[in-house]
Amino acid sequence: MHTDLVAALDIGGTKIAGALVDGHGRILLRAQRATPAREPGDTVMDAVADVLTELAASPLWRGVRAVGIGSAGPVDASTGSVSPVNIPGWRAYPLVERVRAATGGLPVELIGDGVAITAAEHWQGAARGHDNALCMVVSTGVGGGLVLGGRLHPGPTGNAGHIGHISVDLDGDPCPCGSRGCVERIASGPNIARRALEGGWRPGPDGDTSAAAVAAAARDGHPVAVASFERAARALAAGIAATATLVEIDIAVIGGGVGKAGDVLFTPLRAALAEYATLSFVQRLTVAPALMGTDAGLVGAAAAALTTTPPQPNARAAGV
Amino acid sequence: MHTDLVAALDIGGTKIAGALVDGHGRILLRAQRATPAREPGDTVMDAVADVLTELAASPLWRGVRAVGIGSAGPVDASTGSVSPVNIPGWRAYPLVERVRAATGGLPVELIGDGVAITAAEHWQGAARGHDNALCMVVSTGVGGGLVLGGRLHPGPTGNAGHIGHISVDLDGDPCPCGSRGCVERIASGPNIARRALEGGWRPGPDGDTSAAAVAAAARDGHPVAVASFERAARALAAGIAATATLVEIDIAVIGGGVGKAGDVLFTPLRAALAEYATLSFVQRLTVAPALMGTDAGLVGAAAAALTTTPPQPNARAAGV
């Protein structure tokens, strides 16, 4: 029997993924449900409970010593509650208490999804071996998390590293969050696509107006597409440089759909970083693409549970 | 004899201050020299050694167990060297080694001056009791430091919290640091004064064009002076909100000459903070004026030495 085994939950607006993960970060069993994101909160919780029940049906469950949750934010680890923007039925929803009850009293660790992918990249991905790192997801939104002094830095409420909503343009466009000129407002996939369309770029016969389509156009040299990625790169660079200047990170890892754009993003990003990261102690800062795939949220949630709950010599035997 | 006593050095471009500080943060003895800032590095070091020699002439010196240094930055705590912008003779200057040699081998702790004032405000000032805080000096420049999870966060090189050089206006005016739209470029005293003069504000008969004079004009309702402080407040708010969003601070403490402007600064600052600090987990963020006076650098350097070097039951007896 595995003596260092945890359950992990990755909760987003589209799906609720669950897994049993061992002390090496290996996923031994999976379960998944679509998120009933527009339903009442208890219906969403039923989907979470279904995932846990499916995992608990395995004989492996007897070895599970804790549950790690990475959830769409904002979360509040100090109260164990979540209020994901894309799950309106959950507002200050007591997720930790409910998951604890659904698992017969297992310790439950809650972190934001940006913090979870950071835990994964630090454990097994591009930030491995770096004591001070920023890991980001640049996709429909822009999220992130921090490793400081060799350890995950979730902050008191589990939301630290929220780089998508720092303003890098104090007079800039209003952001849905209420602020202005946020990194996400400039660098997210939908904003890259919007800017390209506004500049006169048009999609091909397939009608694909995603950031991935803009990236393809940029690789073909379409100047408006190139410019839209350059603008996103500039905002990301200003945000990454700000983070490094504030907390002395030495690497920024970028994942998510936009992060997969490759040189179209990373070449202007590295150039812009040299412009914004000027002080001596941040000049060695590097950027790298994320290495963890779609399991990053699960692996990171598991990492948080493994790190913060001490191993128990006699693993619990109760089921869900 | 005091059993918990350290020597503190506060090194800036104008003066080199030294003190013996006890475990309660009381300054028992002081020494000071002007900084020969334009002289060769060894001449600057001679002034530091003079300060230490003066302190070591006291019988109290026998109880000193460590030396804390807060230095104008950038510093590099990882190598024990400093390269203060305003002391050109010191570039990667091995200050820790020289101070250790000058004190007969005492342990030496080096931090940046922004980190030092943060240590002081956290120990005895406006950030006392706050586990997550940003402390700033807004003056000729804008510096700062961080307390995270109840402890000073100097970062690997001792420069963390450098909020003056994060960009809040990615297309903004070039900053002497090489970047653009830095908080310091908008909110420092000289920039507040410059903007007021450019807008048509004129000094009184005394010819005083300092930010303090602009603050006095703003208190009298001069619209250009008011607007210049509002702009500074906006940049500070964007920087503070960014810091809170990244690392979850709950208080920002503002000291330095500009911090003394009072309501002329703090009223628009609080209003702007509500605009930029929008996510749920940063909405309780407050700002407060610094409480420590001009001794903050010395007290903070002492705090760093007291915290990082263990007390020795038998205090050293050797002199300088």
Side-chain angles (χ1 to χ4, degrees), chain A residues 219-230:
Chain A
R219 273 188 290 273
D220 289 343
H222 192 299
V224 170
V226 168
S228 189
F229 265 92
E230 283 177 351

Side-chain angles (χ1 to χ4, degrees), chain B residues 107-137:
Chain B
V108 178
E109 183 69 19
L110 169 67
I111 52 179
D113 50 6
V115 176
I117 64 104
T118 300
E121 291 291 339
H122 186 234
W123 190 14
Q124 308 199 322
R128 193 169 175 174
H130 289 270
D131 282 348
N132 297 278
L134 166 69
C135 298
M136 306 172 65
V137 176

Side-chain angles (χ1 to χ4, degrees), chain B:
Chain B
M1 193 174 88
H2 289 270
T3 53
D4 206 11
L5 193 66
V6 295
L9 291 170
D10 177 13
I11 301 180
T14 306
K15 64 180 168 58
I16 294 161
L20 300 186
V21 183
D22 73 9
H24 302 285
R26 286 179 299 219
I27 291 180
L28 306 181
L29 182 68
R30 293 170 188 273
Q32 187 169 312
R33 293 291 182 279
T35 307
R38 300 287 135 190
E39 302 293 318
D42 286 341
T43 308
V44 184
M45 185 63 215
D46 288 344
V48 174
D50 284 352
V51 167
L52 289 168
T53 302
E54 191 174 325
L55 296 175
S58 159
L60 287 169
W61 182 264
R62 295 165 51 95
V64 169
R65 64 173 167 87
V67 183
I69 308 175
S71 173
V75 303
D76 187 346
S78 69
T79 59
S81 63
V82 299
S83 309
V85 175
N86 297 325
I87 307 178
W90 279 1
R91 284 297 171 268
Y93 190 82
L95 181 60
V96 166
E97 180 190 311
R98 297 297 161 87
V99 169
R100 193 182 292 124
T103 56
L106 281 177
V108 178
E109 183 69 19
L110 169 67
I111 52 179
D113 50 6
V115 176
I117 64 104
T118 300
E121 291 291 339
H122 186 234
W123 190 14
Q124 308 199 322
R128 193 169 175 174
H130 289 270
D131 282 348
N132 297 278
L134 166 69
C135 298
M136 306 172 65
V137 176
V138 185
S139 170
T140 311
V142 175
L146 291 166
V147 172
L148 299 179
R151 295 192 309 181
L152 198 64
H153 183 81
T157 73
N159 290 292
H162 243 88
I163 189 170
H165 294 286
I166 72 171
S167 176
V168 289
D169 185 4
L170 79 174
D171 303 313
D173 293 329
C175 180
C177 77
S179 181
R180 292 185 169 274
C182 292
V183 170
E184 178 173 303
R185 182 65 181 77
I186 304 172
S188 73
N191 280 299
I192 289 171
R194 174 189 53 75
R195 204 165 36 235
L197 287 164
E198 286 172 5
W201 171 77
R202 292 293 171 263
D206 61 359
D208 181 358
T209 57
S210 69
V214 179
R219 274 189 289 275
D220 290 342
H222 193 299
V224 169
V226 168
S228 190
F229 265 92
E230 283 177 350
R231 186 71 184 160
R234 225 169 165 73
L236 291 171
I240 292 167
T243 306
T245 303
L246 281 169
V247 293
E248 294 202 21
I249 56 162
D250 55 35
I251 189 170
V253 173
I254 302 184
V258 174
K260 293 195 180 72
D263 288 348
V264 165
L265 177 72
F266 280 91
T267 301
L269 176 55
R270 292 195 172 100
L273 208 51
E275 279 184 61
Y276 292 105
T278 57
L279 300 187
S280 56
F281 65 96
V282 297
Q283 288 174 0
R284 279 162 296 184
L285 177 64
T286 57
V287 289
L291 292 178
M292 303 296 290
T294 49
D295 287 334
L298 284 170
V299 173
L306 286 161
T307 320
T308 54
T309 59
Q312 295 162 315
N314 302 308
R316 260 181 81 267
V320 166

Side-chain angles (χ1 to χ4, degrees), chain A residues 255-281:
Chain A
V258 174
K260 292 196 181 74
D263 288 349
V264 165
L265 177 72
F266 280 91
T267 301
L269 176 55
R270 291 196 172 100
L273 207 52
E275 279 185 60
Y276 291 105
T278 56
L279 300 187
S280 56
F281 66 96

